[in-house]
Amino acid sequence: MTPHISKRSTLAIATAVAAGALLTAGMTTGASAQPDTARAAAPAPAAATAPLSASARADLLQGAEDKAAATADRIGLGAKEKLVVRDVVKDRDGTTHTRYERTYAGLPVLGGDLVVHTAKDGSVKGVSKATKAAIKVASTDAKLAPKSVAAAAKSTAAKTGDTAKADPRAPRKVVWAADGKPTLAYETVVTGVQKDGTPSELHVITDAATGKKLYQHQAIETGTGNSQYSGKVTVGSVKSGSTFQLTDSGRGNHKTLDLNHGSSGGKLYTDADDVWGTGKPSNTQTAAVDAAYGAGLTWDYYKNVHGRSGIKGDGKGATSRVHYGNAYVNAFWQDSCFCMTYGDGEGNAKPLTSIDVAAHEMTHGVTSATGNMEYSGESGGLNEATSDIFAAAVEFKANNALDKGDYLVGEKIDINGDGTPLRYMDKPSKDGSSLDYWSSNAGNVDVHYSSGIANHFFYLLSEGSGKKTINGVAYDSPTKDGSKVTGIGRDKAEKIWFKALTSYFTSTTNYAQARKDTVKAASDLYGANSAEAKAVAAAWTGVNVK
């Protein structure tokens, strides 16, 4: 999804990797963070996600791939449909949730993704589908030529006002099933550069018979060292010959690169004495320290709290790139390079590398690998909110003395120029644009503003309504109907959202479905009649999702 950071808009910070406990391996020293000692950890519920090693996950994926045809038959798919395995998570009680893409007559089905929930004994407990429609089209022969479709897609990109230059790739034939009746279509990816300097990967879906544009979405998701925002921290490095490299071998070999104000490539940071940066933006290593630290925290968070090893759950680290462009006021996650990229902000003095920005960006990658909610309409708001939710979770878990956890987004990077944060989770409308509550118009609002509904839900679920002060920040969270919501604590709220994201959300999930899925997740974890499940329902009602 496209980052959306400017003085007139909210932050689109993308996927992060995870924070919490210290990991060490070889020459690597993990990003340091004070432990969360608020209370002793309770035993994990049977439905909680079980940690999976890379090899165990690979075995589950291979097993699912081997049985894909049989699974398609078991869940009643048509003869022309096939399943392609994309992800798998396993609960502590042995239940697996296997995520699939679908094909029809060999064509990708966009909006056809589904999750099969299988009990330990192999029986199918249920299926979560992005569409309930039967996948079928009259013919797979397109009336339009790919060349004309590409030209139309390029024109569409120009009309959006987002793309300064455009280069359409060869369209691919697909079945569009994300909205209404399945339709034979073309998907064209128009690459280029957006007007603010952000790379562009605009996906345009075109009816293969009429040439009508059916949908479009932007795929770029806007997102011992001395750091600028977190003080003196520990970052992962390895020694190579007589120099040190900013490669974190304890976290999947995550690398931090210097773009040197360019827009591609990048050079791996090296240092003679393994002391990185000065804490000042004038030193080019300082932004790298913040980026590497935030990536390490995010990795640790997902691994230690949710049992997920890396963004894709495969134990592989991503890449962080700093000093993108000149005075670029944004940050973004890009699946195509499995990397997160940071600008240096106004005057190249405020790099967008704070903990919550890093976690937000890398969480876009986690979302892409799991629920993959389309970055448009209500699903886009949920996508963006997921990054805000886990950005807050990572920041709280890190418990850094100079950047305490809060329910504010981007409070350190001063995008607005007046010291105010980009977003507020307790009352999102305080930023002047975000939505506090759901309405029928929510799907027509920019995703960085419609995300406020889920952000507000998460705050209410965690902390409850009314006034509260946490880590020195005063909050006052209202509800649409004036009801009082009692929070269940952030720890439980995080686990419920992660469970819903990885086990139930699909590409087309909207707010009404998110309510059902999070109630289901809470019921799985804590019981159908539990206080937690009831609190989830109450918090959604509080933001007018009924």
Side-chain angles (χ1 to χ4, degrees):
M1 75 190 163
T2 306
H4 207 71
I5 308 176
S6 69
K7 290 185 178 179
R8 60 175 176 77
S9 62
T10 48
L11 173 65
I13 314 171
T15 320
V17 188
L22 178 68
L23 289 182
T24 60
M27 293 298 297
T28 303
T29 50
S32 63
Q34 297 176 22
D36 186 350
T37 57
R39 56 180 175 272
T49 304
L52 285 177
S53 67
S55 60
R57 180 177 180 273
D59 288 344
L60 286 175
L61 290 172
Q62 186 60 57
E65 192 69 58
D66 293 343
K67 299 174 183 177
T71 301
D73 289 339
R74 290 176 71 185
I75 65 175
L77 299 190
K80 293 185 178 181
E81 296 178 76
K82 291 184 178 181
L83 293 174
V84 180
V85 181
R86 187 159 67 83
D87 190 34
V88 63
V89 294
K90 187 175 184 177
D91 296 344
R92 292 180 180 272
D93 65 4
T95 301
T96 57
H97 308 273
T98 309
R99 191 174 295 274
Y100 299 89
E101 300 292 347
R102 247 191 290 188
T103 65
Y104 174 85
L107 300 178
V109 179
L110 305 186
D113 52 298
L114 53 86
V115 186
V116 178
H117 313 290
T118 309
K120 186 177 182 179
D121 63 6
S123 61
V124 175
K125 299 172 67 174
V127 183
S128 300
K129 294 182 177 180
T131 178
K132 295 180 180 179
I135 306 300
K136 184 178 181 180
V137 294
S139 172
T140 57
D141 294 326
K143 294 182 179 180
L144 297 179
K147 187 176 181 179
S148 66
V149 172
K154 182 176 181 178
S155 176
T156 294
K159 290 178 181 177
T160 63
D162 290 336
T163 306
K165 59 181 181 180
D167 179 24
R169 299 172 187 169
R172 68 168 181 166
K173 198 187 302 182
V174 300
V175 174
W176 174 248
D179 183 26
K181 182 180 178 181
T183 304
L184 185 69
Y186 280 109
E187 179 189 35
T188 309
V189 180
V190 185
T191 61
V193 179
Q194 298 178 47
K195 291 182 178 179
D196 68 350
T198 306
S200 177
E201 292 179 11
L202 187 69
H203 291 240
V204 181
I205 312 299
T206 307
D207 190 309
T210 66
K212 178 183 177 182
K213 187 187 76 174
L214 300 174
Y215 187 77
Q216 69 181 55
H217 79 275
Q218 178 60 251
I220 302 297
E221 299 174 351
T222 31
T224 326
N226 296 292
S227 74
Q228 183 168 347
Y229 302 114
S230 302
K232 189 174 184 178
V233 298
T234 304
V235 292
S237 63
V238 296
K239 191 172 185 180
S240 177
S242 61
T243 62
F244 292 87
Q245 299 176 344
L246 206 50
T247 298
D248 195 338
S249 62
R251 298 179 179 90
N253 287 319
H254 174 276
K255 298 180 184 301
T256 305
L257 308 182
D258 181 11
L259 286 172
N260 192 28
H261 303 296
S263 60
S264 63
K267 183 178 180 180
L268 180 64
Y269 273 95
T270 61
D271 188 79
D273 60 5
D274 206 21
V275 178
W276 306 83
T278 63
K280 304 294 184 183
S282 56
N283 183 291
T284 62
Q285 288 187 357
T286 298
V289 170
D290 275 301
Y293 177 64
L297 291 175
T298 308
W299 175 285
D300 292 350
Y301 169 80
Y302 280 109
K303 185 176 180 65
N304 297 327
V305 175
H306 302 297
R308 187 175 186 86
S309 182
I311 287 174
K312 289 186 176 180
D314 58 3
K316 296 179 181 178
T319 298
S320 293
R321 307 187 305 174
V322 297
H323 304 307
Y324 175 89
N326 183 35
Y328 176 66
V329 190
N330 217 329
F332 57 90
W333 169 264
Q334 196 166 1
D335 269 337
S336 58
C337 66
F338 203 58
C339 65
M340 45 202 290
T341 303
Y342 303 94
D344 286 332
E346 293 286 353
N348 292 319
K350 283 280 187 177
L352 280 74
T353 50
S354 61
I355 293 171
D356 56 355
V357 173
H360 179 121
E361 294 298 345
M362 298 180 78
T363 296
H364 277 311
V366 176
T367 296
S368 177
T370 56
N372 197 31
M373 296 82 78
E374 287 288 356
Y375 203 61
S376 180
E378 291 189 21
S379 60
L382 287 163
N383 187 317
E384 188 66 17
T386 296
S387 283
D388 283 350
I389 286 167
F390 289 118
V394 169
E395 194 176 71
F396 272 107
K397 186 69 174 176
N399 196 26
N400 181 280
L402 298 183
D403 190 4
K404 289 282 190 179
D406 53 51
Y407 292 97
L408 310 173
V409 181
E411 73 280 1
K412 288 288 186 180
I413 56 177
D414 196 24
I415 292 297
N416 296 322
D418 58 5
T420 60
L422 289 166
R423 288 195 284 274
Y424 304 79
M425 299 180 80
D426 65 320
K427 192 174 190 294
S429 62
K430 285 195 289 187
D431 68 14
S433 300
S434 291
L435 303 182
D436 290 333
Y437 312 113
W438 182 88
S439 73
S440 59
N441 190 49
N444 299 320
V445 176
D446 184 286
V447 299
H448 304 93
Y449 305 141
S450 62
S451 63
I453 302 164
N455 283 345
H456 192 189
F457 157 81
F458 181 78
Y459 178 87
L460 288 171
L461 181 62
S462 299
E463 306 294 349
S465 56
K467 295 182 178 181
K468 194 168 190 177
T469 299
I470 305 167
N471 284 344
V473 179
Y475 302 99
D476 190 358
S477 193
T479 58
K480 176 67 173 178
D481 58 359
S483 60
K484 180 181 179 181
V485 174
T486 300
I488 61 173
R490 189 180 55 260
D491 290 348
K492 289 182 177 179
E494 293 168 19
K495 290 179 173 63
I496 290 168
W497 194 267
F498 184 81
K499 175 73 173 176
L501 171 69
T502 56
S503 297
Y504 299 115
F505 285 0
T506 69
S507 61
T508 62
T509 299
N510 58 17
Y511 274 110
Q513 187 62 46
R515 175 183 171 121
K516 295 177 183 177
D517 290 344
T518 48
V519 169
K520 170 64 174 168
S523 298
D524 289 347
L525 293 170
Y526 304 109
N529 295 313
S530 63
E532 291 83 359
K534 292 176 181 177
V536 170
W540 279 122
T541 299
V543 296
N544 203 36
V545 178
K546 301 177 180 178

